[in-house]
Amino acid sequence: MGNGWSASNAMYSNIQFNNRSLHMTDTTITHVHGRRVWDSRGRPTVEAEITLACGVTGRAIAPAGASTGSGEALDLRDGGAAFGGLDVANAVACVNGDIANLLTGRDASDQAAIDKGMVELDGTPNRGRLGGNALVATSMAVLHAAAAAAGRPVWHYLAGDRTVRLPLPEIQIFGGGAHAARRVDVQDFMVMCPGASSFSEALNWTAEIYRAAGALMKQAGKLQGVADEGGYWPTFDCNEEALDALLAAINETGLQLGTQVGISLDIAASEFGRNGSYRLALDGRTLDTEGMVRMLGGWLDNYPILSIEDPVAEDDPAGFGIFTKEYGHRCQIIGDDYLVTNAQRVANAALAGHANAVLIKPNQAGTITEAHEALVAGKKAGFGTIVSARSGETEDVTIAHLSVGWDAGQLKVGSFSRSERTAKWNEVLRIEESLGKQAVFSGWGALPFQG
Ligand code: PGA
Ligand code: ZN
C-alpha cells in the first residue's frame, strides 16, 4: 500500500480487566525511523516510519515545492556538491535522533501534543533547525500509525462520525511557470468539473479533456511531453493562447462551459512579481498591480474562469484586496504563497477582505495540526479550502485522505498523468467506492461564491 499502514485484528490486544473485556490498542510510540527516499523530480526527500506498541506502523514522505512562499516551513537541505546541494542527510538524522528521542514513549493518538512537542523542539519560526521536511514526514507518519491502530483508514479516523464530502478536483492540463522553465508566466492551467454528479464523474470528464488537449497539441505540432506536475509542456506564445487551447480542448468533449466545467488558474505571481512590479517573461511587458488586476479581469470576462490562485505576489496584500473586492463575488481567489497554510494569516486576510480561499499544503505549515488549524480558520471565515500537493511529490497519498477526512471540499494534485499525481486521484476513488451510496460529492458547494 502506498502509505504503508496496515491493521489487522491480530494487532489488537483484548485485555481482561475487572471482569470486563476491553478492546483496546496500545498507541505508545516504540520506534521512529527516518530514511532518505526520492521524489518525482529525482531529488532526495525524507520518509518517516512510526511503530506503535500494538505492532502497527505508519509511514509518510515529505513532498517539496518549487515555487515556495517566503513564509513557508523551511526544508532542511545539506548543501554541498552532492545532488545539487539538495540531499537530506541532516533532516533524516534529525528524525532518527532528536525527533525519535522526543517521540519514543509518547501517545500517537494525541496528534496535537506530538506536533506541539516537535515544534517546540525545533524552536525556530521557520522550522529551520529540524527541517520542515523532517517534521511533516514524521507528523503524517504518526497520523497513519494512529489510524492503523484504530483500524480505520486515515480519512475515517480524522472524520470520526462527521459527514464528509468527496472533494472537487482541480486538475492541471498545461503546466507552466517555475514547473516548465517559465515557458509561459502562468503556472497552472487547470479545469474543475463542479457540474459532475460525483468525484469519479469529475475524473471521467477531466480524462476526456486531458486527452483532447493532447490530441490538439499533437495536431498543432506542439506536443513536447509534460511538465513537472504532468500537464502538457506549454509550447505557447502567450498566456491567452494557452487559455484558448484549454477552451478548445473542453469544447472538443462537448461538456458545457460554465455549468459543467470551468477553468482554474494558478498565476503564482510571486514568481515574477515584487514590490508591485510584474515582469511577464513571454512578451517582456512589466505591469504594476493595477495592470495585473486589469489583465486578469480581462481573462475573467473572456473565459469561464472559476478560480484564480495567487493573482498577485505575496508582498502585495493591497493587490489581493483590490482583486477580491472586484471579483470575489464571481471567482474563487486562493492565497497560496500569501497565506502559506498559516491560521493567523488566514484570519487576518479574511478580516481585511484579501482572498476568499486558502490552499492547504501540510509541508508549508510543518505539521498536520497546524495545517488543520489553517483549514479550520479558512472554514470559519467562509473561505474555500483546497488541500494541495507540491510540485515535487511521491507515492504518498496522505493528502487524499486529508481532503476527505477534513471535509476540505477541494483537492489540487497536479495533472492527470504521472503516478505521483494519479496515486492521489486513485486513492480518492477507493474512498468513494468504500462509501458506496453514502458518497457525497462537494461540487459547486465547495466554491466560496454562488455558481
Ligand atoms: P509548488 O507549486 O509545489 O512548486 O509550490 C504548487 C503551487 O504553487 O500551488
Ligand atoms: Zn500555488
Side-chain angles (χ1 to χ4, degrees):
M1 171 157 322
N3 275 82
W5 67 263
S6 58
S8 72
N9 287 337
M11 290 163 183
Y12 292 83
S13 44
N14 277 298
I15 297 175
Q16 291 291 331
F17 182 70
N18 286 349
N19 286 336
R20 284 182 304 159
S21 177
L22 295 179
H23 188 61
M24 61 180 290
T25 59
D26 188 344
T27 51
T28 305
I29 295 173
T30 53
H31 192 65
V32 177
H33 180 64
R35 68 171 67 86
R36 187 183 76 191
V37 295
W38 301 93
D39 76 10
S40 55
R41 280 193 278 247
R43 295 175 183 171
T45 189
V46 181
E47 177 168 85
E49 199 163 303
I50 301 284
T51 308
L52 306 187
C54 59
V56 302
T57 61
R59 199 168 70 200
I61 310 176
S67 64
T68 49
S70 61
E72 290 192 19
L74 205 70
D75 282 348
L76 194 57
R77 302 279 181 182
D78 296 349
F83 314 127
L86 296 173
D87 207 356
V88 292
N90 288 315
V92 168
C94 284
V95 176
N96 288 321
D98 284 359
I99 293 176
N101 288 339
L102 175 78
L103 298 191
T104 306
R106 295 238 187 159
D107 182 2
S109 68
D110 193 349
Q111 182 86 43
I114 295 276
D115 289 343
K116 187 164 178 276
M118 288 199 293
V119 167
E120 282 171 5
L121 179 68
D122 174 77
T124 69
N126 65 0
R127 317 291 185 255
R129 192 175 83 78
L130 298 173
N133 42 2
L135 255 57
V136 80
T138 309
S139 182
M140 295 195 302
V142 167
L143 172 64
H144 280 278
R152 285 185 163 180
V154 169
W155 74 265
H156 196 187
Y157 174 73
L158 290 170
D161 296 332
R162 286 188 296 278
T163 316
V164 292
R165 298 165 299 166
L166 279 308
L168 173 63
E170 211 182 339
I171 304 183
Q172 188 193 65
I173 305 298
F174 303 117
H179 304 160
R182 296 186 203 293
R183 188 65 187 66
V184 293
D185 301 293
V186 175
Q187 184 176 284
D188 297 299
F189 295 88
M190 298 169 284
V191 293
M192 298 172 109
C193 300
S197 59
S198 65
F199 176 81
S200 46
E201 187 172 55
L203 290 194
N204 293 349
W205 291 2
T206 307
E208 299 289 10
I209 297 165
Y210 189 73
R211 270 168 58 88
L216 287 174
M217 295 293 273
K218 191 169 177 197
Q219 231 170 44
K222 289 180 172 233
L223 193 60
Q224 286 190 11
V226 298
D228 279 11
E229 296 192 6
Y232 296 111
W233 190 264
T235 39
F236 300 112
D237 294 326
C238 62
N239 296 300
E240 288 82 356
E241 195 188 332
L243 284 166
D244 289 334
L246 188 48
L247 221 48
I250 297 170
N251 279 330
E252 280 286 307
T253 65
L255 290 162
Q256 280 173 5
L257 282 161
T259 52
Q260 291 183 310
V261 50
I263 292 174
S264 168
L265 302 175
D266 183 0
I267 311 299
S270 306
E271 289 294 306
F272 58 89
R274 195 154 301 155
N275 299 324
S277 176
Y278 297 85
R279 187 164 171 76
L280 303 179
L282 277 177
D283 53 17
R285 263 185 309 163
T286 300
L287 302 175
D288 60 9
T289 300
E290 203 193 308
M292 275 297 283
V293 170
R294 227 178 305 122
M295 180 182 76
L296 298 178
W299 293 354
L300 274 166
D301 289 338
N302 291 320
Y303 301 94
I305 296 171
L306 299 174
S307 180
I308 295 191
E309 181 174 327
D310 284 347
V312 290
E314 63 175 52
D315 69 353
D316 195 352
F320 265 98
I322 297 165
F323 195 70
T324 306
K325 190 161 180 226
E326 193 86 13
Y327 300 108
H329 65 285
R330 61 168 158 129
C331 181
Q332 172 167 262
I333 299 163
I334 308 173
D336 171 15
D337 292 348
Y338 180 47
L339 300 176
V340 288
T341 316
N342 179 291
Q344 193 56 55
R345 288 195 190 211
V346 173
N348 294 346
L351 211 60
H354 299 170
N356 61 18
V358 55
L359 212 66
I360 303 294
K361 291 168 164 171
N363 81 324
Q364 275 185 334
T367 62
I368 283 290
T369 302
E370 291 163 292
H372 186 236
E373 283 167 0
L375 178 128
V376 169
K379 285 192 167 207
K380 200 169 153 202
F383 274 27
T385 53
I386 306 99
V387 172
S388 170
R390 303 308 305 248
S391 50
E393 272 292 336
T394 67
E395 68 273 25
D396 188 293
V397 296
T398 309
I399 57 166
H401 285 264
L402 299 182
S403 74
V404 178
W406 287 346
D407 191 30
Q410 298 176 64
L411 178 62
K412 181 189 178 202
V413 166
S415 193
F416 214 63
S417 75
R418 300 182 51 139
S419 293
E420 80 278 4
R421 312 289 150 189
T422 49
K424 278 77 160 173
W425 303 131
N426 292 341
E427 186 71 355
V428 180
L429 283 177
R430 293 182 195 103
I431 297 171
E432 181 185 49
E433 188 185 87
S434 75
L435 281 164
K437 285 201 168 65
Q438 286 172 342
V440 178
F441 177 55
S442 63
W444 284 105
L447 297 168
F449 64 93
Q450 293 293 317

